[in-house]
């Protein structure tokens, strides 16, 4: 096994050798798919393939190429059998349903092939950070430092959201850059924010071309050799430019360096199904598996943000593409067709906001689907000159993926059509269907789990697709028929929701489908008792129908949006800090204490056994004098670490001075929190303690900042977002298919029980960890 692994590692180290290996594998795979075998022999071979695949997945996952080839072999044999022995050829409802189901399965098989090709080979790219010589005033030795324009296009984002991004962009450690806010709404408050932060402001008289037109307008009025693009909610870290500029210095043909889109808040599936840090976010698979595979074939594409581009490459294709609403991928397609190269650095160098609500998620995915189908219709990668074979496959696969709506609806409706109306989509026995279909499905799950590993858990792709399938099906059909009639839809982010609510409007199509599937489930046992000759087929259809009901249950549960009262998400941190009593000597400070409000939460606890006392301050001169005496007595500081913080407040953990001890001493209501900053020296901030909770000898404090000045606010944002290691990828638990299926099955119950039983805090109180 070790020798085989070493051989394969050597062979797949370059795309050309990999292409040769795949070409050699085509002939035996095709021969196995079409060869005639008795059913028993086919089943024996399938069981061997399944056992080998499971053994490789468990004990040698690095050989995922072998699992993929075994999976393709069984799937190809199933598709061949379906196409030659099971189709109903006469004109009838049965015939139409038969061809519709086979078309859906054929579509899935083609995507399976392209997906294995796209993701089975990865060669993660190492960063090429540049080191600036301080003796040369921040320049590179022996070569000029390229100038960079940093574009932050904005349409309707809130002031706090844009402030975060502009602060992070201005803090990037690179001397020769100009940060631009490209404001589509021409808002005076945004102009004032730019003046406050010292960044440049640009607007235009109209909004023609939406985001692409906005960037092209700025390109025509700036001169930087490189162009960095960040969405208004995507905050770059300090090291972004130093980590990406080197690729352009080393390769004059480099047009694009893309980094992952990382999100510091949970997406609707994580939030509404209570799956934070349990199941990978929906986009992790794309940014940590698919794009890495694309990079192996020099076909990683522009994602609209968190990227650095060469101006001459953009100019060679006429700027950002405006013919489609997925301007980012279309621009990369054009640049690759002209021979430009791209790189994908799978290290998060920025973080932003994921869509918080189910309806916003639907709107965003509909726009993506419309844009990718526009690319298929107007600039098809299979027909475009200048692309390599691998680039054609990868771009075509990325675009065709969004055709999943119609096949997904066929999969959902086929069992009810048979169970309720007697429509037969296959002309085959139950034994033959099981013998061919189950190995194909089983090894597809094993192969997908081996490749995705921690980036996508089994069965969740079906949930993600089902949640939006009716809308994707409709929009793709309309776009195929009329590809030029599309409008750019801005995705709302940073919104609030005062009360939990079910999104009836967007969930309505799936509710109708779920009722139909449920009715079919009720009809199945009735038919099973009444039709003994079809019990095998009825059992298979009933099992399929039950699986669809499970998937629909999870897809509908995500439409139950959780409360979102917090406008500014807290971000986890790991900074050391000190806490001291605040000096109350000055008259202005005395007024602040006299007018202070008591803590909002009654959870503040006192007790000798915890070794800590919490001092409360209320209105009145007596309380003020008592707090002043306490402040003079508190000469020492408490030490601890940040748990999470935002521009509004902080949650921290105070630790004992000695191992095994407890936090002791009276803790005042107003304190000075000094953060041990990595940049710019210690940061001291006034805070009001809202809650103190003893915890195993330590104390967890929740505090609110008091009147941050503009420089202090800027420093807080930089500490939250600008550290080079802030968003280093932390993988989710590895995929365990049975455990993953259990998570899908329990999703509706978990969502309803936690929502109405009140066993979990509101969504807006939970901090978001890097994932």
């Amino acid at each position: 096994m070790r020798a085989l692994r070493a051989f394969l590692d050597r062979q797949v180290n370059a795309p050309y050798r990999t292409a040769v290996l795949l070409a050699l594998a085509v002939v035996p795979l095709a021969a196995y798919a079409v060869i005639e075998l008795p059913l028993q022999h086919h089943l024996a071979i399938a069981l061997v393939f399944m056992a080998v695949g499971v053994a490789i997945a468990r004990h040698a996952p690095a050989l995922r190429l072998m699992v993929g080839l075994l999976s393709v072999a069984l799937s190809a044999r199933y598709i061949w059998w379906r196409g030659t022995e099971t189709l109903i050829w006469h004109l009838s409802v049965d015939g139409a349903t038969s061809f519709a189901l086979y078309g859906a399965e054929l579509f899935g098989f083609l995507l399976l092939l392209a997906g294995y090709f796209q993701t089975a080979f990865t060669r993660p790219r190492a960063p090429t950070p540049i080191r600036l010589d301080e003796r040369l005033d921040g320049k590179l030795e022996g070569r000029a430092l390229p100038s960079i324009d940093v574009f932050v296009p904005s349409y309707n984002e809130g002031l706090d959201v844009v402030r975060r991004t502009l602060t992070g962009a201005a803090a990037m450690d690179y001397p020769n850059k100009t940060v631009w806010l490209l404001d589509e709404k021409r808002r005076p408050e945004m102009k004032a924010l730019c003046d406050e932060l010292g960044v440049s402001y640009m607007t235009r008289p109209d909004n023609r071309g939406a985001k692409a037109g906005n960037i092209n307008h700025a390109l025509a009025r700036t001169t930087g050799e490189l162009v960095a693009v960040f969405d208004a909610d995507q905050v770059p870290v300090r090291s972004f430019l130093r980590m990406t500029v080197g690729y352009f210095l080393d390769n004059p043909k480099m047009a694009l360096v893309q980094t992952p889109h990382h999100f510091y808040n949970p997406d609707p599936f994580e939030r509404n199904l209570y799956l934070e840090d349990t199941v990978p976010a929906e986009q992790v698979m794309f940014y940590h598996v698919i794009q890495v595979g694309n990079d192996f074939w020099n076909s990683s594409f522009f994602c609209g943000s968190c990227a650095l581009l060469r101006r001459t490459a953009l100019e060679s294709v006429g700027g950002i593409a405006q013919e489609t609403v997925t301007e980012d991928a279309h621009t990369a397609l054009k640049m690759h067709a002209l021979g430009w190269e791209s790189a994908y650095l799978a290290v998060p160098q920025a973080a932003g906001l994921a869509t918080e609500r189910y309806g916003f998620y639907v709107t965003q995915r509909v726009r993506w689907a419309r844009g990718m189908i526009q690319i298929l219709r107007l600039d098809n990668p299979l027909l475009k000159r200048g692309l390599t074979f691998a680039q054609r496959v990868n771009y075509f696969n990325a675009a065709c993926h969004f055709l999943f709506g119609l096949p997904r609806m066929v999969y959902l409706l086929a069992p009810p059509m048979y169970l309720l109306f007697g429509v037969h989509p296959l002309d085959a026995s139950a034994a033959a269907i099981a013998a061919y279909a189950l190995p194909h499905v089983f090894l597809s799950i094993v192969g997908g789990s081996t490749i995705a590993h921690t980036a996508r858990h089994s069965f969740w792709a079906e949930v993600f697709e089902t949640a939006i399938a009716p809308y994707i099906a409709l929009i793709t059909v309309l776009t195929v028929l009329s590809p030029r009639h599309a409008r750019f839809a801005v995705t709302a982010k940073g919104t609030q929701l005062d009360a939990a609510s079910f999104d009836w409007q967007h969930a309505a199509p799936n509710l109708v489908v779920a009722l139909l599937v449920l009715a079919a489930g009720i009809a199945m046992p009735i038919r099973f008792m009444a039709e003994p000759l079809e019990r095998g087929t009825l059992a298979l259809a009933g099992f399929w129908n039950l699986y669809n009901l499970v998937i629909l249950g999870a897809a509908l549960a995500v439409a139950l949006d959780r409360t979102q009262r917090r406008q500014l998400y807290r971000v986890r941190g790991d900074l050391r800090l000190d806490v001291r009593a605040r000096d109350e000597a000055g008259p202005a400070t005395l007024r602040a204490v006299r007018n202070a409000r008591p803590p909002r939460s009654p959870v503040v606890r006192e007790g000798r056994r915890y070794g800590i006392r919490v001092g409360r301050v209320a209105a009145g001169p007596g309380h003020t004098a008592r707090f002043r005496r306490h402040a003079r007595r508190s000469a020492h500081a408490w030490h601890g670490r940040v748990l999470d913080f935002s521009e509004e407040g902080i949650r921290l953990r105070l630790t004992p001075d000695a191992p095994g001890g407890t936090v002791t001493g009276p803790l005042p209501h107003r304190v000075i929190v000094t953060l041990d900053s990595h940049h710019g020296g210690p940061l001291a901030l006034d805070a009001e303690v809202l809650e103190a909770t003893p915890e195993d000898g330590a104390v967890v404090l929740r505090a609110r900042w008091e009147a941050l000045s503009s420089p202090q606010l800027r420093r807080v944002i930089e500490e939250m977002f600008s550290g080079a290691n802030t968003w280093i990828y932390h993988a989710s638990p590895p995929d365990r298919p049975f455990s993953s299926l259990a998570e899908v099955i329990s999703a509706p119950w978990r969502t309803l029980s936690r929502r109405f039983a009140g066993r979990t805090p509101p969504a807006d109180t939970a901090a978001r960890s890097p994932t």
Side-chain angles (χ1 to χ4, degrees):
M1 183 65 72
R2 290 182 180 178
L4 178 60
R5 183 186 307 173
F7 171 76
L8 288 176
D9 285 344
R10 288 195 301 271
Q11 298 308 310
V12 302
N13 198 33
Y16 298 109
R17 292 181 182 178
T18 302
V20 171
L21 283 176
L22 291 177
L24 294 176
V26 167
V27 174
L29 285 177
Y32 171 73
V34 303
I35 192 172
E36 296 228 0
L37 289 172
L39 187 61
Q40 302 92 318
H41 294 176
H42 157 73
L43 189 56
I45 295 175
L47 290 174
V48 171
F49 280 12
M50 291 161 64
V52 172
V54 170
I56 293 175
R58 292 190 61 182
H59 302 292
L63 300 179
R64 58 186 179 276
L65 172 60
M66 299 295 295
V67 182
L69 291 176
L70 294 174
S71 172
V72 168
L74 289 182
S75 296
R77 185 161 184 81
Y78 170 75
I79 290 295
W80 178 263
W81 171 77
R82 283 279 286 114
T84 57
E85 299 187 29
T86 70
L87 294 180
I88 299 172
W89 289 89
H90 51 78
L91 293 176
S92 64
V93 176
D94 286 356
T97 305
S98 177
F99 274 87
L101 180 58
Y102 184 64
E105 291 178 307
L106 188 59
F107 172 82
F109 174 66
L110 294 176
L111 287 192
L112 181 72
L113 286 177
Y116 280 138
F117 178 84
Q118 194 171 27
T119 59
F121 315 101
T122 59
R123 185 178 53 192
R125 190 180 292 267
T128 57
I130 61 171
R131 291 177 172 81
L132 305 182
D133 193 331
E134 303 301 335
R135 298 171 302 171
L136 299 177
D137 193 24
K139 297 180 180 179
L140 293 169
E141 290 191 36
R143 48 185 168 176
L145 193 66
S147 58
I148 299 177
D149 287 311
V150 181
F151 292 158
V152 181
S154 173
Y155 181 70
N156 60 354
E157 297 81 6
L159 190 68
D160 292 325
V161 172
V162 177
R163 179 188 292 273
R164 285 181 166 185
T165 302
L166 292 181
T167 299
M172 287 191 293
D173 188 12
Y174 191 87
N176 195 11
K177 70 177 186 299
T178 304
V179 179
W180 295 88
L181 176 65
L182 312 181
D183 182 20
E184 288 279 75
K185 280 295 191 74
R186 299 166 282 279
R187 294 161 286 181
E189 62 271 22
M190 290 299 176
K191 176 65 168 64
L193 176 63
C194 291
D195 294 338
E196 175 190 334
L197 298 177
V199 303
S200 301
Y201 178 83
M202 185 184 300
T203 187
R204 56 183 180 142
D206 56 54
N207 295 350
R208 185 176 303 171
K211 178 182 175 181
N214 194 12
I215 295 176
N216 288 337
H217 175 268
L219 280 172
R221 288 155 179 80
T222 54
T223 59
E225 299 170 61
L226 304 177
V227 174
V229 179
F230 298 97
D231 284 342
D233 63 286
Q234 291 279 348
V235 188
V237 302
R238 192 180 303 271
S239 60
F240 178 89
L241 294 177
R242 285 208 185 192
M243 294 284 280
T244 54
V245 168
Y247 295 107
F248 296 88
L249 299 176
D250 296 340
N251 184 358
K253 297 181 66 178
M254 185 65 65
L256 162 71
V257 176
Q258 179 68 55
T259 66
H261 288 193
H262 178 81
F263 302 100
Y264 55 83
N265 67 311
D267 66 24
F269 293 91
E270 295 174 288
R271 290 185 74 251
N272 297 341
L273 302 182
Y274 296 85
L275 292 172
E276 293 96 330
D277 300 327
T278 302
V279 172
E282 188 258 353
Q283 294 196 62
V284 171
M285 179 70 178
F286 176 76
Y287 287 110
H288 292 279
V289 176
I290 294 175
Q291 277 282 62
V292 177
N294 285 341
D295 189 39
F296 181 82
W297 300 106
N298 185 33
S299 56
S300 57
F301 51 79
F302 181 34
C303 300
S305 181
C306 310
L308 188 63
L309 302 98
R310 192 184 297 272
R311 178 182 292 271
T312 52
L314 282 174
E315 292 174 345
S316 69
V317 296
I320 303 295
Q322 294 185 223
E323 304 95 314
T324 61
V325 294
T326 47
E327 72 292 331
D328 40 19
H330 197 185
T331 301
L333 173 67
K334 290 182 174 183
M335 292 192 296
H336 278 129
L338 291 183
W340 292 99
E341 298 180 10
S342 64
Y344 184 73
L345 177 62
V347 180
Q349 291 290 290
L353 286 169
T355 52
E356 296 106 330
R357 292 159 65 176
Y358 172 63
F360 300 157
Y361 176 87
V362 171
T363 300
Q364 184 185 62
R365 294 316 193 268
V366 164
R367 175 171 63 83
W368 291 359
R370 176 185 283 142
M372 297 307 282
I373 303 306
Q374 283 182 305
I375 291 176
L376 277 181
R377 287 282 282 109
L378 302 177
D379 204 5
N380 195 306
L382 293 181
L383 307 176
K384 193 171 183 65
R385 293 183 178 179
L387 297 177
T388 65
F389 173 78
Q391 288 172 339
R392 295 179 192 277
V393 171
N394 292 337
Y395 273 106
F396 187 74
N397 183 38
C400 281
H401 164 76
F402 285 97
L403 291 169
F404 68 80
L406 281 174
R408 181 59 55 191
M409 296 304 296
V410 170
Y411 290 142
L412 292 173
L413 295 175
M417 291 290 289
Y418 170 68
L419 293 172
L420 290 176
F421 308 111
V423 176
H424 290 73
L426 287 85
D427 184 13
S429 67
I433 295 172
Y436 282 95
L438 293 182
H440 147 65
V441 172
F442 178 85
L443 214 49
S444 297
I445 294 172
V446 173
S449 177
T450 305
I451 288 176
H453 192 44
T454 63
R456 172 69 56 82
H457 288 180
S458 299
F459 308 106
W460 280 100
E462 286 88 341
V463 177
F464 298 149
E465 291 182 1
T466 301
I468 57 176
Y471 295 95
I472 297 298
L474 176 62
I475 200 63
T476 51
V477 169
L478 293 177
T479 306
V480 167
L481 297 176
S482 180
R484 298 186 184 277
H485 292 83
R487 294 179 58 191
F488 188 94
V490 178
T491 304
K493 296 181 181 179
T495 61
Q496 296 172 286
L497 185 63
D498 293 332
S501 65
F502 187 80
D503 192 340
W504 293 98
Q505 177 184 353
H506 291 95
N510 275 338
L511 276 172
V512 174
V513 175
L515 290 175
L516 188 63
V517 172
L518 184 61
I522 297 172
M524 183 269 175
I526 299 174
R527 289 193 59 189
F528 189 85
M529 298 299 296
E531 303 177 32
L533 297 179
E534 290 200 24
R535 285 180 177 176
T537 305
L538 286 168
L540 287 177
F543 179 80
W544 184 5
N545 192 72
L546 178 62
Y547 175 77
N548 285 343
L549 190 61
V550 168
I551 298 298
L552 279 165
L556 287 171
V558 77
L560 189 57
D561 286 312
R562 290 171 67 180
T563 303
Q564 175 59 38
R565 296 192 183 97
R566 182 182 296 276
Q567 187 170 4
L568 295 174
Y569 284 93
R570 289 179 288 164
V571 175
R572 287 190 183 176
D574 192 27
L575 298 174
R576 291 180 298 178
L577 55 81
D578 294 332
V579 175
R580 295 179 182 271
R582 182 172 166 184
D583 184 7
E584 302 292 334
T589 307
L590 283 173
R591 276 198 303 275
V593 172
R594 188 174 295 117
N595 296 327
R597 291 173 294 175
R600 293 179 293 182
S601 171
V603 186
V604 179
R605 302 169 185 172
E606 299 182 69
R608 292 181 181 179
R609 66 188 183 94
Y610 294 119
I612 184 167
R613 196 157 44 81
V614 177
R616 295 174 182 252
V617 179
H623 291 285
T624 301
R626 186 160 59 252
F627 186 82
R628 290 178 63 188
R629 290 194 298 272
H630 161 73
R632 287 194 293 268
R633 291 197 304 267
S634 300
H636 75 285
W638 295 271
H639 309 288
R641 302 194 79 89
V642 174
L643 295 177
D644 55 67
F645 59 141
S646 74
E647 297 94 317
E648 296 176 335
I650 187 171
R651 193 166 63 96
L652 55 95
R653 180 183 176 90
L654 300 181
T655 53
D657 294 331
T662 59
V663 177
T664 59
L667 185 68
H669 176 47
R670 295 184 182 279
V671 294
I672 298 176
V673 178
T674 303
L675 302 176
D676 185 14
S677 170
H678 298 300
H679 304 281
L683 175 61
L685 302 169
D686 293 339
E688 174 191 8
V689 176
L690 302 177
E691 179 180 300
T693 306
E695 187 179 283
D696 299 328
V699 174
V700 174
L701 292 186
R702 190 166 61 88
R704 178 173 53 203
W705 305 128
E706 292 189 341
L708 294 181
S709 65
S710 179
Q712 287 176 325
L713 179 58
R714 186 168 183 170
R715 285 287 306 279
V716 169
I717 294 174
E718 289 180 6
E719 293 302 328
M720 291 167 57
F721 292 98
S722 293
N725 297 325
T726 300
W727 311 113
I728 292 300
Y729 177 66
H730 296 282
S732 299
D735 179 32
R736 298 286 184 268
F738 289 109
S739 298
S740 182
L741 180 59
E743 291 283 359
V744 174
I745 294 173
S746 63
W749 166 251
R750 181 176 57 253
T751 301
L752 292 173
S753 62
R754 295 191 182 186
R755 178 67 54 80
F756 297 114
R759 294 186 306 200
T760 59
D764 58 348
T765 64
R768 170 68 168 168
S769 62
T771 56

